[in-house]
Amino acid sequence: MGLEAVVNEIREKGRKEVEATRAETRAEVEEILKDAQARAAELKASADEEAGRAATHITNQEVSAANLVVKRQVLNAQKMLLDQVYSASLAAVGDLPAEFQEKALTDLLKRAAKEIKKGVVHTNKRDIPVVEEILSRLKTLSGYTVGDPVDIPGGVIVESNDGALQIDYSYGTFLGEVWESGLKDASDILFA
């Protein structure tokens, strides 16, 4: 066997080893790439899932916040409407006919006289003549005098002569009491 044959044999053997090493390296590279792609797919799926959860959470928070804003606006509108109803009711009570006003004022003064025997009666400017007439007509109210007018829609505020006791029988006070006790029922009827 000649030198050339030995060189060719060594070359051939080297080439085969290089090819085997390359094939082995390619297989390892393909395996590494395959593992990397699988890991990348897992990470992407995990990231997509986490992003989906985060998006759902953010969406839910935004929807909840929007619902709260809407609920607050609805409650504010309802309160504004109830305030308008209250003001209209107070104005309507103050605008009742003169006969009603006289009877109501007479009853309120008689009721006050049971608690305060002598005192000063305050009423709105419109009702002062009516109160003066009632006080002059009823002997049981002879201990009362008419005081300065007050800013009330109707009714009376009676104060003892010494100022120690005051009874508020104004229409606003009565309506306020009725309003507080019936507010939930009125709200349920109006906004149910």
Side-chain angles (χ1 to χ4, degrees):
M1 207 190 279
L3 185 59
E4 189 142 331
V6 171
V7 170
N8 281 340
E9 190 178 312
I10 291 173
R11 273 189 195 157
E12 186 61 31
K13 190 176 181 183
R15 188 183 59 73
K16 285 182 182 177
E17 282 182 21
V18 166
E19 295 239 353
T21 303
R22 280 185 184 160
E24 194 177 301
T25 303
R26 265 189 247 124
E28 285 179 20
V29 166
E30 286 178 15
E31 187 65 32
I32 290 170
L33 285 175
K34 188 174 160 187
D35 287 347
Q37 287 173 342
R39 180 77 178 123
E42 286 175 16
L43 289 173
K44 184 180 182 297
S46 177
D48 286 347
E49 185 179 317
E50 183 60 32
R53 278 196 299 265
T56 300
H57 180 70
I58 290 170
T59 301
N60 288 342
Q61 283 182 323
E62 291 299 319
V63 167
S64 293
N67 284 339
L68 284 175
V69 167
V70 168
K71 188 171 187 171
R72 187 177 306 121
Q73 288 174 342
V74 167
L75 289 174
N76 286 340
Q78 288 175 345
K79 183 185 179 321
M80 190 171 71
L81 181 60
L82 287 171
D83 289 346
Q84 288 174 352
V85 169
Y86 180 84
S87 296
S89 299
L90 199 53
V93 168
D95 291 339
L96 289 170
E99 307 83 49
F100 172 84
Q101 297 291 355
E102 184 179 350
K103 181 174 178 357
L105 291 170
T106 301
D107 291 345
L108 292 174
L109 287 168
K110 286 178 180 177
R111 188 171 164 188
K114 292 178 183 175
E115 297 181 48
I116 298 177
K117 301 300 179 200
K118 294 181 179 182
V120 179
V121 178
H122 300 280
T123 190
N124 62 33
K125 199 172 196 175
R126 176 197 70 212
D127 291 336
I128 286 179
V130 177
V131 169
E132 288 173 340
E133 191 276 321
I134 295 168
L135 294 180
S136 67
R137 182 171 34 96
L138 296 176
K139 296 198 186 317
T140 57
L141 302 175
S142 62
Y144 285 153
T145 58
V146 176
D148 295 328
V150 289
D151 187 21
I152 57 175
V156 293
I157 297 175
V158 178
E159 186 176 6
S160 63
N161 284 334
D162 61 3
L165 185 60
Q166 185 181 58
I167 300 173
D168 185 350
Y169 286 155
S170 65
Y171 294 168
T173 299
F174 288 118
L175 183 59
E177 290 172 7
V178 170
W179 190 257
E180 287 300 316
S181 66
L183 183 59
K184 183 180 180 338
D185 294 336
S187 183
D188 289 345
I189 290 168
L190 289 173
F191 307 118

